[in-house]
């Protein structure tokens, strides 16, 4: 059994970028954890951040349950995320407890600064672990947020796509059309064409020696 950890800046980030992959890992009997660095406090316009945090936390817990994952909230605040030594140490402690074999994080070249921070903190935490961990970057709204993305690995999510959709629908305070129909669905279908599947999620492996254009899957899948 592998331990798989996905890190995201906000609720719905991991579900959007690698929700199908997480569902496949859970389906195969692996232990899956989602680390939300914030509770998405600024994610509902016109409502107080404290109220929004409660709503979006409930949604994230339900989405994680649907995917077969455990949810952890790291304690940062949407709109005020930090890439400090203290925050890196905080994430390192979470990862030490989760003992990941496979680590998933947002692609570092992203127009959203909090996605950038999530990626940077994950890389710093990974480097602090006392053992080797396979790190893969996932994409978010490529062409809008994620830029300069050239996948090295693909995961066929055709048979778990419905579960990913249910997980995204659990984020009822957010626009499903914006989360999935305008972005994720099109990206999944495009990535699926690369491997002859109906739908796929694509990743970039964190390795200086990784070749471009490879079509390998992730460990354990």
């Amino acid at each position: 059994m592998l331990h798989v950890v996905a890190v995201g800046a906000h609720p719905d980030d991991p579900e959007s970028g690698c929700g199908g992959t997480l569902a496949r890992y859970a389906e195969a009997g692996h232990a899956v954890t989602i680390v939300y660095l914030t509770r998405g406090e600024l994610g509902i316009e016109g409502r107080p951040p404290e109220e929004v945090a409660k709503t979006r936390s409930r949604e994230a817990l339900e989405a994680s349950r649907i995917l077969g994952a455990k949810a952890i909230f790291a304690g940062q605040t949407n709109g005020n995320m930090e890439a400090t030594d203290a925050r890196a140490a905080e994430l390192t402690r979470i990862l030490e407890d989760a003992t990941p074999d496979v680590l998933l994080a947002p692609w570092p070249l992203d127009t959203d600064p909090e996605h950038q921070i999530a990626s940077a903190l994950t890389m710093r935490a990974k480097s602090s672990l006392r053992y080797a961990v396979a790190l893969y970057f996932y994409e978010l709204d490529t062409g809008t947020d994620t830029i300069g993305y050239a996948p090295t690995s693909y995961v066929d999510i055709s048979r778990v796509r419905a579960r990913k959709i249910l997980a995204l629908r659990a984020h009822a305070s957010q626009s499903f059309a914006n989360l999935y129909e305008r972005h994720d669905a099109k990206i999944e279908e495009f990535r699926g064409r690369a491997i002859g599947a109906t739908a796929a999620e694509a990743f970039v492996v964190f390795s200086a020696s990784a070749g471009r254009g490879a079509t390998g899957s992730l460990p354990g899948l």
Side-chain angles (χ1 to χ4, degrees):
M1 183 180 71
L2 297 177
H3 289 196
V4 181
V5 177
V7 178
H10 317 106
D12 75 44
D13 285 350
E15 293 91 317
S16 290
C18 58
T21 298
L22 298 179
R24 279 204 54 190
Y25 270 119
E27 183 184 74
H30 301 296
V32 179
T33 301
I34 299 176
V35 179
Y36 300 102
L37 296 181
T38 77
R39 295 176 183 266
E41 289 85 349
L42 300 182
I44 307 177
E45 188 174 354
R47 287 173 57 182
E50 299 81 4
E51 179 185 327
V52 174
K54 292 178 182 178
T55 297
R56 300 203 67 196
S57 296
R58 287 194 299 269
E59 293 171 349
L61 288 169
E62 176 61 11
S64 296
R65 184 196 66 78
I66 290 169
L67 295 177
K70 172 185 176 182
I72 295 175
F73 297 94
Q76 294 221 46
T77 303
N78 184 193
N80 194 33
M81 279 186 64
E82 304 171 318
T84 61
D85 291 346
R87 291 301 190 180
E90 177 182 65
L91 182 55
T92 299
R93 288 191 294 271
I94 292 172
L95 296 185
E96 286 174 342
D97 289 341
T99 62
D101 301 292
V102 179
L103 190 54
L104 309 176
W107 175 240
L109 300 181
D110 197 290
T111 58
D112 187 318
E114 295 197 330
H115 295 171
Q116 297 172 22
I117 290 173
S119 185
L121 286 176
T122 304
M123 286 188 280
R124 288 184 63 182
K126 174 189 182 300
S127 69
S128 298
L129 297 176
R130 296 182 178 87
Y131 64 97
V133 180
L135 172 59
Y136 293 83
F137 297 112
Y138 59 83
E139 57 186 329
L140 288 165
D141 298 349
T142 296
T144 302
D145 288 350
T146 294
I147 56 177
Y149 196 79
T152 61
S153 309
Y154 296 82
V155 174
D156 183 347
I157 65 164
S158 304
R159 73 169 183 267
V160 295
R161 197 179 191 188
R163 190 180 304 177
K164 175 178 179 176
I165 289 172
L166 285 175
L168 287 170
R169 286 195 181 280
H171 293 279
S173 68
Q174 308 302 295
S175 165
F176 180 75
N178 190 55
L179 279 179
Y180 190 76
E181 293 172 354
R182 296 177 188 167
H183 297 284
D184 293 354
K186 295 177 174 62
I187 293 169
E188 290 169 3
E189 290 162 7
F190 179 69
R191 298 306 184 196
R193 292 176 65 183
I195 57 172
T198 302
E201 290 172 342
F203 300 87
V204 174
V205 63
F206 181 61
S207 170
S209 61
R212 293 296 181 188
T215 58
S217 190
L218 272 60
L221 294 179

